[in-house]
Amino acid sequence: MVPAPIRTLTTVDEARALVREARQAGRRVALVPTMGALHAGHAALVRTALEEADLVIASIFVNPMQFGPHEDLDRYPRTPDADLAALADLGVTAAFMPTVDEMYPDGGRSATLVTAGHLGTVLEGRSRPGHFDGVLTVVTKLLSIVTPDVAVFGEKDGQQLFLVRRMVRDLDLPVRVIGVPTVREPDGLALSSRNRLLQAGERDDALALSRALRAAGKAADRGVEAMLAAAQAVFQDETGVRLDYLAVVDPRTFLGASDDHHGPVQVLVAARVGTVRLIDNAVFTIP
Ligand code: PAF
């Protein structure tokens, strides 16, 4: 079947006009925020959005505010033509693809920030200072532009999803946030736009992250410390992988889980494979 043409919106006004029309027609709107370089994980977000709404808008915007000065903003993969074709195939009505100037007309940055607070400075936020303030600021802007009924995010960015949910609750934003499970390759590798930056041979090294999560899961009946030790052991023989952090948190608070914790725990891992920084996480239950 020939996919319906997708509308490309580049300005805030165009996006608002499309949403206004949809609302007048009584249609429900979903937003899928992305930074492009789309893969099957994004397709899963879109499919969820299509189940929830009549009009799905996917945003594609590599947000400079969430990259630190020495991070991979310049080499972050950009594949706009393939992204548009994939979104059209999936049945997305419109792609919102603003320029940096359109989003941040005052010199490429927003002077006003939505700050993630203490939980934005731990784990991913500790390694990437300011990252979550940049994420929450752009997500707030996207929610304000599109005013969706639902917004769909991947569970792979576990801390991001937690902080977006908390922001929506803290600021009483009128949107329902839906998290979609991580899509993995058959061998366990979590799909990520950054996987395309891996050099030959590094892909196998990258499996250390999902192997560490599985090892932690197998140790769950022995408690938090055993989970951490099992996951850590995976990295001991991995010369091509530099572990950044490994943590076991209570998914309700995102604070470190103590060794006497029972119930669900979320294991989070970040590591550098060659020059590519990857993250992954999974939830297990300590009986
Ligand atoms: O998860 C991402 O791709 C980005 O952090 C997001 C949510 C699109 C904000 O730029």
Side-chain angles (χ1 to χ4, degrees), residues 25-89:
R27 300 171 81 196
R28 281 172 60 75
V29 178
L31 171 69
V32 181
T34 83
M35 297 206 301
L38 303 183
H39 49 66
H42 294 108
L45 307 185
V46 167
R47 284 196 197 95
T48 300
L50 287 163
E51 282 166 17
E52 296 286 334
D54 315 296
L55 172 82
V56 173
I57 300 182
S59 61
I60 299 178
F61 180 64
V62 183
N63 172 35
M65 287 201 59
Q66 68 189 73
F67 289 80
H70 305 296
E71 292 185 4
D72 57 353
L73 173 62
D74 290 339
R75 69 177 190 136
Y76 194 86
R78 288 163 172 87
T79 57
D81 295 338
D83 292 349
L84 280 175
L87 292 173
D89 270 351

Side-chain angles (χ1 to χ4, degrees), residues 208-223:
L209 282 84
S210 53
R211 282 217 318 274
L213 295 178
R214 280 201 301 277
K218 280 195 191 135
D221 53 356
R222 289 184 284 123

Side-chain angles (χ1 to χ4, degrees), residues 33-35 61 63 66 135 138-139 153 157 160:
T34 83
M35 297 206 301
F61 180 64
N63 172 35
Q66 68 189 73
V135 169
V138 82
V139 169
F153 294 84
D157 295 299
Q160 167 175 286

Side-chain angles (χ1 to χ4, degrees), residues 35-39 42 62-64 66-68 70-79 124 128 131 135 156-157 160 185 189-199 202-203 206 209 270-280:
M35 297 206 301
L38 303 183
H39 49 66
H42 294 108
V62 183
N63 172 35
Q66 68 189 73
F67 289 80
H70 305 296
E71 292 185 4
D72 57 353
L73 173 62
D74 290 339
R75 69 177 190 136
Y76 194 86
R78 288 163 172 87
T79 57
E124 206 48 18
R128 305 186 66 190
H131 169 68
V135 169
K156 195 191 70 87
D157 295 299
Q160 167 175 286
E185 304 271 11
L189 184 70
L191 296 195
S192 161
S193 301
R194 287 189 170 93
N195 290 353
R196 329 175 171 225
L197 299 174
L198 294 169
Q199 304 294 310
E202 291 178 346
R203 194 197 164 284
L209 282 84
R272 204 169 273 280
V273 182
T275 59
V276 185
R277 195 167 173 285
L278 298 174
I279 59 173
D280 201 352

Side-chain angles (χ1 to χ4, degrees), residues 127 208-209 212-213 228-236 238-247 267-274 276-280:
S127 302
L209 282 84
L213 295 178
L228 281 170
Q232 215 121 34
V234 169
F235 289 95
Q236 253 140 38
E238 288 289 345
T239 46
V241 185
R242 242 179 325 130
L243 180 62
D244 180 353
Y245 63 78
L246 191 55
V267 185
L268 298 112
V269 60
R272 204 169 273 280
V273 182
V276 185
R277 195 167 173 285
L278 298 174
I279 59 173
D280 201 352

